[in-house]
Amino acid sequence: MSTPHPSAGPAVGCPVTGAPGTAAALYGPGLDGNTMPALYEELRGTHGPVAPVSIAPGIDAWLVLGHRELLRLTREEQDFSHDPRRWSLLREGRVPADSPILPMVGWRPALLFADGRQHRRMRNAVSEALAGINGHELRRGVRATAEALIAGFAADGEADLVSAYARTLPMRVIAGLLGLDDRTGRELVNAVAGLVSATGGAGDASRRMGAILKGLIEERRRARGDDIVSALLHHPARLTDEEVLHNLVVMFVAGNQTTVNWIATALRILLCDPALRSSLSGGHLSVDDALDLVLWRFPPTQNFPARYATRDMVFGGQDIRAGDMLILGLAAANADPEVLPADGIPVAGNRSHLAFGAGPHICPAQDPARLITRTAVDTIRHRLPDLELAVPEDELEWVTSPWSKGLGTLPVRFTSPQLPQGTVPPRTAEAPAPAWTHRNAVQPQAGPR
């Protein structure tokens, strides 16, 4: 077993097997999206494509670092189940009720925790609800919201693009897709942020998020609207209210934070990489090419829980036992030397990265997420053409999380905003929520509130 990374937290016994030794912990104040890649390479060099880790105090797992191995993990449901009720630590009562990991991996009646026919039933409903989004209207709404947000700080000549833009824009977009008002959307985003932080407050954040969504579902049962919640409630798959709630949780947790991180990281790379910025401005790279390079090098979700071995096996050179937890190391798999060119730099236009997962459970919301991110990046590039980083790159703050690779701040300055006439900043008027239309939508009906 290896000595833990200096910033990786306390040493523990060998995960899963319980054998004497130490293993790196994927949690602790010294670990964030900026320091984790070095840890992945240390683990790869010591253990190969599958490494023993600790993901929370007393919680052991295997981290899948290899690209080939991660593809097998995501594609072979007969060997690797999504159902955490198979997890041996949970079955044996060895996961504390207040563990910060439990809100992320505890079983829910949602597509993320189901296999086979049950998964296909729920995924069909979610995929069709997302496919009903009117892309033209969504793009128009995202651009209008982005321009209103930029107008809100344009006169200042400086801004934190995480809090004022990257975090706020997806919140308003997703609130519009769910049919939420701006205030409730903000509350929901704050609850999601608390959930993915994997701290002691994750349980309370999960309860707050559930209460908001439960109230929304009850309202849509009384009065059908033109939004994703109504589409799920009235889909032929006949999802129960509980299934709708937990599938919304999965969609919102994955969709919101991923998009926030993707926008912020793409803007950071454009600000800090003159060659990439020049290639984009000169037309040698499209915005989509740049976004894919970000997904290769800095995937917004770096680790994703979880799969559970259905039988004893040798996998990635490790002896895996039935009931062991395996974590999808998305960032590590994208950096696997086995799949990268000799210089280690991904080729522009190559979309074989694993930022959205793979197999039957590949993210169903990646197209809306790309549209939102592309529009957000493109809009601010054109409205603030002389945007520059206000601090040295090595002083940027990162969010501490075992799952999410996100910037805490992105301070910038600029001098020449180019905004359309009549743009209203959200300080004086609420930014417009993006519209969407489901192909089976009906007009909202009056009903009790």
Side-chain angles (χ1 to χ4, degrees), residues 306-374:
R307 302 292 191 271
Y308 307 91
T310 61
R311 61 180 179 85
D312 294 349
M313 70 184 83
V314 176
F315 177 57
Q318 302 285 4
D319 290 321
I320 308 297
R321 296 182 300 180
D324 281 358
M325 173 191 280
L326 299 101
I327 302 297
L328 284 69
L330 304 177
N334 277 356
D336 189 346
E338 294 290 326
V339 298
L340 292 178
D343 59 6
I345 300 175
V347 177
N350 184 344
R351 291 190 178 179
S352 61
H353 57 74
L354 298 172
F356 294 113
H361 281 254
I362 192 168
C363 176
Q366 56 182 293
D367 289 340
R370 179 178 290 273
L371 186 153
I372 294 166
T373 303
R374 182 199 307 125

Side-chain angles (χ1 to χ4, degrees), residues 332-419:
N334 277 356
D336 189 346
E338 294 290 326
V339 298
L340 292 178
D343 59 6
I345 300 175
V347 177
N350 184 344
R351 291 190 178 179
S352 61
H353 57 74
L354 298 172
F356 294 113
H361 281 254
I362 192 168
C363 176
Q366 56 182 293
D367 289 340
R370 179 178 290 273
L371 186 153
I372 294 166
T373 303
R374 182 199 307 125
T375 306
V377 171
D378 221 21
T379 301
I380 203 166
R381 284 180 58 241
H382 288 95
R383 298 309 179 198
L384 301 176
D386 65 347
L387 198 66
E388 62 180 27
L389 201 60
V391 299
E393 184 180 4
D394 60 7
E395 293 183 12
L396 292 174
E397 298 177 8
W398 294 80
V399 174
T400 301
S401 169
W403 315 115
S404 178
K405 183 178 178 66
L407 281 167
T409 60
L410 186 61
V412 297
R413 53 179 173 251
F414 47 88
T415 58
S416 55
Q418 299 179 6
L419 296 171

Side-chain angles (χ1 to χ4, degrees), residues 1-4 10-15 19-24 47 52:
M1 302 298 295
S2 67
T3 300
V12 295
C14 182
T22 59
H47 301 287

Side-chain angles (χ1 to χ4, degrees), residues 96-165:
D98 60 351
S99 173
I101 194 66
L102 205 51
M104 286 289 288
V105 301
W107 182 83
R108 299 173 183 267
L111 76 170
L112 185 61
F113 305 99
D115 300 314
R117 182 180 302 175
Q118 187 71 344
H119 167 253
R120 290 191 295 273
R121 169 179 160 268
M122 288 187 282
R123 185 182 175 92
N124 186 43
V126 169
S127 297
E128 290 193 12
L130 291 169
I133 296 173
N134 185 317
H136 295 294
E137 292 298 324
L138 179 60
R139 184 180 297 107
R140 184 163 36 241
V142 174
R143 184 176 294 112
T145 304
E147 290 175 343
L149 291 172
I150 295 168
F153 56 74
D156 300 334
E158 60 182 15
D160 173 9
L161 291 188
V162 172
S163 61
Y165 192 70

Side-chain angles (χ1 to χ4, degrees), residues 82-88 90-91 105 107-108 113-114 308:
H82 294 76
D83 192 336
R85 292 171 295 187
R86 291 179 177 266
W87 186 20
S88 56
L90 193 64
R91 290 200 319 268
V105 301
W107 182 83
R108 299 173 183 267
F113 305 99
Y308 307 91

